Amino acid sequence: MPSATRELKVDLGDRSYPILIGAGLLGKQDLSTYAAGQQVMIVTNETVAPLYLAAAERCFPGKNVDHVVLPDGEKFKDWQTLNLIFDALLERRHTRKTTLVALGGGVVGDMTGFAAACYQRGVPFIQIPTTLLSQVDSSVGGKTGINHPLGKNMIGAFHQPEAVLIDADTLQTLPEREVAAGLAEVIKYGLIRDAAFLAWLEESMARLSSLEPGALIEAIYRSCACKAEVVAQDEREGGLRAVLNLGHTFGHAIETFAGYGEWLHGEAVGSGMVMAADLSRRLGMISEADQARVDRIVGQAGLPTSVPAGMQPDDFRRLMAVDKKNIDGALRLVLLNALGDAVIVADANPDRLQETLSRFCQGMGC
Ligand code: NAD
Ligand code: GLY
């Protein structure tokens, strides 16, 4: 293992796995021990392949390494594109001993994981996330899947990876807008569970936005530690894990309304967290000063704090009605009891919710 690698563990008994975090790991870290058989299929996309495919192949010395390159974009997180992975696996005679490797952002990671969950009733996979969002969130925890035109991430499976390799150096090629989108999920961890981390983020946002390696590695490590802890306690989202969805109920509605790929997932989550803070304040759960801190840090990260033009409260209601957290038709939202302490609230006061939706839909975001 390269010397500066930091390691975390997602503790799930005999399905536990390591998260290896560092700079310059891709191409140097030997991952072949995490691929039990001889066959490896790297799944990536047309943007990431020219940048990192050759280096990723070097992580599997002694293996037969194949690859499939998907079209790039959230709008391709669908059945048709998923099938390209199965086509490649079958055409090249990959057996149930193969290991899939997701090389790319959350779209590639979610689709590869879902393909691994389904192919020949389930094969192992490894995550090599290359966006900030996927490094701090989607590569850890085993949620995999695709979108449906009627709802985001509605078709999927829980399937944990064998290992996660995070090379922060890959972020140096990431477009600025994608960096900001990843910062939304980083901020989320501070807001839901770790007030000290939130304060550190308030001080460090400029270093993170300018991709300073030390700050990035610290933010990735603390985010993954938070996620690993939550997943270890509640792998299948029976309760606690739902707090990882702060801002996501509003955010998924925004993504679906705007059309997949128009608003980045992290951008929608940024606005969604601002909306969740607004509702938390209206319900008397947090102070105006706390709400202002949420607005400020989301803005500092370069994220939107408003909703798409033309989106109406009824659009939110219709789209939030299919949220996976809802039980028996009751809307369940992740709200803030305090900064650093999130709770799940069932059937929040409808008048206060209407006030929040009206405020944002009238273009009166922050
Ligand atoms: P993405 O996968 O679309 O990647 C963003 C863009 O960056 C793409 O164009 C990609 O090709 C490009 N890219 C990737 N790595 C790059 C690099 N190093 N340099 C240059 N370009 C690079 O988006 P994302 O934000 O990574 O992931 C969003 C997806 O993740 C959504 O579909 C969301 O639903 C999902 N998600 C899943 C979970 C989970 O727990 N499974 C959690 C959060 C988000
Ligand atoms: N991103 C939310 C979760 O993994 O549960």
Side-chain angles (χ1 to χ4, degrees), residues 9-12 226-235 241:
K9 179 176 163 193
V10 182
D11 195 350
L12 292 169
C226 181
K227 180 139 190 193
E229 200 182 286
V230 170
V231 169
Q233 287 180 52
D234 179 22
E235 182 186 4
R241 185 167 177 170

Side-chain angles (χ1 to χ4, degrees), residues 86-110:
F86 297 132
D87 290 348
L89 288 166
L90 289 166
E91 279 162 16
R92 298 178 216 162
R93 298 184 192 286
H94 279 254
T95 69
R96 66 203 314 188
K97 295 283 176 215
T98 194
T99 298
L100 304 198
V101 177
L103 174 70
V107 170
V108 164
D110 282 11

Side-chain angles (χ1 to χ4, degrees), residues 137-138 140-141 143 185 188 227 231 237 241 244-245 248:
D137 191 353
S138 60
V140 174
K143 279 190 183 175
E185 303 282 11
K188 174 187 81 178
K227 180 139 190 193
V231 169
E237 203 167 305
R241 185 167 177 170
L244 295 174
N245 282 306
H248 285 58

Side-chain angles (χ1 to χ4, degrees), residues 45-48 51-52 72-74 77 103-110 127 129-135 137-145 147 152-153 169-175 178 181-182 185 188 227 241 248 252 255 264-266:
N45 73 23
E46 58 205 7
T47 304
V48 177
L51 296 169
Y52 303 114
D72 183 7
E74 183 78 35
K77 192 175 164 184
L103 174 70
V107 170
V108 164
D110 282 11
Q127 288 271 17
T130 61
T131 62
L132 181 57
L133 184 141
S134 57
Q135 295 184 350
D137 191 353
S138 60
S139 62
V140 174
K143 279 190 183 175
T144 73
N147 298 328
K152 174 101 180 102
N153 292 334
D169 280 356
T170 59
L171 302 180
Q172 299 299 329
T173 54
L174 200 61
E178 299 290 350
E185 303 282 11
K188 174 187 81 178
K227 180 139 190 193
R241 185 167 177 170
H248 285 58
H252 283 165
E255 279 185 275
L264 301 182
H265 175 76

Side-chain angles (χ1 to χ4, degrees), residues 178-358:
E178 299 290 350
V179 174
L183 288 172
E185 303 282 11
V186 176
I187 293 167
K188 174 187 81 178
Y189 294 112
L191 290 175
I192 62 171
R193 270 176 87 80
D194 192 342
F197 184 39
L198 181 68
W200 180 84
L201 288 171
E202 287 173 323
E203 282 167 22
S204 313
M205 197 46 78
R207 293 165 63 208
L208 290 166
S209 295
S210 63
L211 298 177
E212 195 186 300
L216 282 175
I217 289 178
E218 182 64 16
I220 294 166
Y221 183 86
R222 290 176 77 163
S223 299
C224 287
C226 181
K227 180 139 190 193
E229 200 182 286
V230 170
V231 169
Q233 287 180 52
D234 179 22
E235 182 186 4
R236 297 221 162 203
E237 203 167 305
L240 173 70
R241 185 167 177 170
V243 299
L244 295 174
N245 282 306
L246 176 70
H248 285 58
T249 308
F250 297 112
H252 283 165
I254 290 174
E255 279 185 275
T256 309
F257 176 85
Y260 298 133
E262 292 301 314
W263 274 55
L264 301 182
H265 175 76
E267 291 172 337
V269 168
S271 275
M273 291 192 296
V274 168
M275 294 179 78
D278 182 275
L279 181 56
S280 304
R281 195 260 308 153
R282 286 175 200 278
L283 292 168
M285 298 166 70
I286 60 168
S287 66
E288 281 187 17
D290 284 344
Q291 183 188 355
R293 275 180 75 189
V294 177
D295 296 353
R296 194 162 46 243
I297 195 161
V298 170
Q300 260 182 302
L303 291 160
T305 53
S306 56
V307 306
M311 194 166 181
Q312 296 301 320
D314 279 353
D315 297 315
F316 273 103
R317 291 187 184 287
R318 175 174 51 83
L319 293 164
M320 295 197 308
V322 295
D323 190 85
K324 290 191 284 303
K325 286 186 297 306
N326 297 347
I327 296 177
D328 294 336
L331 182 66
R332 292 167 83 239
L333 291 167
V334 183
L335 298 176
L336 295 171
N337 247 339
L339 300 192
D341 181 14
V343 280
I344 295 140
V345 175
D347 272 340
N349 181 306
D351 296 337
R352 302 293 87 76
L353 176 60
Q354 182 60 31
E355 285 168 14
T356 293
L357 296 178
S358 299

